[in-house]
Amino acid sequence: MATESVLHPRLIVPVGHVEPVPRRIRGTIGGRVAFDTRRALYVWEWQAYPQFSIPVEDLVDGVLHDDGHTEQLGAGPAHRHTLQVGPETRAGAAWVWAEGAPAPLHNTVRFEWDALDSWFEEDEPVFVHPRSPYSRVDALRSNSTVRVEVEGVVLAEATGCVKLFETGLPTRYYLDRADVDWTRLRPSDTVTRCPYKGTTSGYWSFDGPDATHEDIAWAYDFPTLQAHPIAGLTAFYNEHVDLYVDGHRLPKPAEQ
């Protein structure tokens, strides 16, 4: 059985790691600037991606109210606070790092991502979570053949693809839409966002002979600049389909 390390690189950043952010970071609520800083820190509370931690001194319209509750987060203990920005109040939205957290985090605050209406790196919006400086996303054209099956039904067959390599995730195979059998797929209303690739333009499900397989394929019609080669193409979850590349069936990530 193939091992995960053979199929894609592992995440290597340890939990609790802290690094400076060489970008201006801002967050807004209700059209007001909660904070504006050029001194943000990346902090990894889990391996997959970091969060921003903001110097308390760089709050602009944001005011913190101590909730009187301390909790152990991934990088150490933190005091929970409610964030007020003008008339808007976001309960439990902020965590001020306490003694026992890495020293660079002292006097900084980590906000719950969804508690802010918008986040900006310089003047560009950021979605879902910060982009990790240790992650790469490369979209490369390839002449590898790809066949996608579910329950023995062929959903797509292509003589070429764009392979998307994203650190810590299985390779994704993006196919021309002409290579997909759309008569067998059903569109869904699902929309997801990725800080590296952008916002999806469509998801599709498959009603098989034995079961329904929801949201197994997706597309980005207008991806971010770095993922531009996948624009208008369609990919299937390796985890939920039988994927054959150059004639060889790939092991599903859950089987590794």
Side-chain angles (χ1 to χ4, degrees):
M1 183 69 67
T3 62
E4 184 176 358
S5 59
V6 171
L7 295 180
H8 59 83
R10 295 178 184 272
L11 298 166
I12 62 173
V13 184
V15 171
H17 188 62
V18 178
E19 290 284 4
V21 178
R23 312 173 186 203
R24 181 186 180 192
I25 305 299
R26 288 174 290 154
T28 68
I29 291 178
R32 294 172 179 257
V33 178
F35 57 84
D36 186 344
T37 184
R38 300 177 188 274
R39 303 183 297 161
L41 297 171
Y42 291 117
V43 53
W44 277 260
E45 296 183 44
W46 42 84
Q47 278 194 308
Y49 55 84
Q51 294 287 350
F52 291 130
S53 201
I54 310 298
V56 174
E57 293 178 353
D58 291 342
L59 292 174
V60 181
D61 292 332
V63 178
L64 299 176
H65 301 285
D66 196 336
D67 290 346
H69 173 78
T70 300
E71 194 167 314
Q72 184 73 26
L73 303 184
H79 302 305
R80 191 182 67 199
H81 287 65
T82 290
L83 173 64
Q84 183 176 354
V85 180
E88 300 279 349
T89 299
R90 306 291 164 90
W95 297 89
V96 177
W97 296 100
E99 291 296 327
L105 295 178
H106 294 174
N107 299 314
T108 71
V109 53
R110 194 272 281 166
F111 294 99
E112 297 291 343
W113 191 267
D114 291 340
L116 279 294
D117 292 344
S118 57
W119 292 78
F120 294 89
E121 292 185 352
E122 298 296 340
D123 291 331
E124 297 289 338
V126 188
F127 304 110
V128 187
H129 60 74
R131 303 178 184 98
S132 172
Y134 299 121
S135 292
R136 287 185 60 110
V137 176
D138 295 306
L140 306 178
R141 290 187 301 274
S142 171
N143 63 6
S144 287
T145 62
V146 178
R147 188 171 80 255
V148 179
E149 296 184 7
V150 176
E151 297 186 33
V153 177
V154 177
L155 301 182
E157 195 158 14
T159 56
C161 63
V162 171
K163 296 181 181 181
L164 188 124
F165 304 94
E166 184 171 345
T167 304
L169 291 177
T171 303
R172 302 301 188 191
Y173 300 84
Y174 282 80
L175 312 178
D176 285 332
R177 294 195 176 185
D179 296 325
V180 177
D181 186 351
W182 295 104
T183 65
R184 298 186 180 277
L185 296 177
R186 168 175 49 84
S188 84
D189 295 328
T190 300
V191 176
T192 61
R193 287 178 168 180
C194 170
Y196 305 102
K197 300 185 291 292
T199 302
T200 56
S201 51
Y203 264 87
W204 293 269
S205 303
F206 171 59
D207 299 317
D210 300 322
T212 295
H213 306 268
E214 296 289 346
D215 294 336
I216 61 171
W218 70 91
Y220 292 91
D221 285 350
F222 304 99
T224 58
L225 183 61
Q226 59 267 36
H228 180 71
I230 68 171
L233 306 184
T234 303
F236 291 80
Y237 275 111
N238 310 36
E239 297 88 339
H240 304 310
V241 303
D242 294 319
L243 188 63
Y244 295 82
V245 177
D246 293 327
H248 301 285
R249 180 180 177 273
L250 298 186
K252 296 181 181 179
E255 296 177 350
Q256 297 170 17

